[in-house]
Amino acid sequence: MKTSILTIRGLVQGVGFRPFIYRIASEMGIRGEVDNRNNGVSIRAVLTPEQRELFISRIRQEYPERWPRFIASGWKK
């Protein structure tokens, strides 16, 4: 497992985004942290390459439509 960082840009503060990420990560056995940024959040996670792909897929699939749109700018290793 490696530590990777995912940057998500958009209005994700104040809508329950961090608990949403925590739920998905917990269900998948992923450890890490979410830091607020001026233009979104930075997710630092310890995961496998397979978990990385599934994690971002689940975020996109389970993201509530009523929340503002976001852009996942990709993983940094």
Side-chain angles (χ1 to χ4, degrees), residues 28-62:
M28 294 181 62
I30 296 171
R31 297 184 337 245
E33 58 188 39
V34 179
D35 295 322
N36 289 331
R37 302 284 186 227
N38 288 337
N39 61 346
V41 296
S42 176
I43 300 170
R44 182 176 315 187
V46 179
L47 34 59
T48 66
E50 294 80 18
Q51 284 176 311
R52 194 168 53 220
E53 296 306 314
L54 181 57
F55 186 58
I56 191 66
S57 177
R58 285 195 58 189
I59 291 170
R60 290 180 190 276
Q61 290 174 358
E62 298 175 30

Side-chain angles (χ1 to χ4, degrees), residues 4 9 13-15 20 23-24 27 29-30 35 37-38 42 45-46 48 52 55 57-58 62-63 66-67 69 71 73:
S4 297
R9 294 178 297 166
Q13 295 180 18
V15 297
F20 166 72
R23 178 185 57 80
I24 293 173
E27 290 172 1
I30 296 171
D35 295 322
R37 302 284 186 227
N38 288 337
S42 176
V46 179
T48 66
R52 194 168 53 220
F55 186 58
S57 177
R58 285 195 58 189
E62 298 175 30
Y63 189 83
R66 68 183 183 278
W67 288 359
R69 303 286 290 161
I71 298 169
S73 62

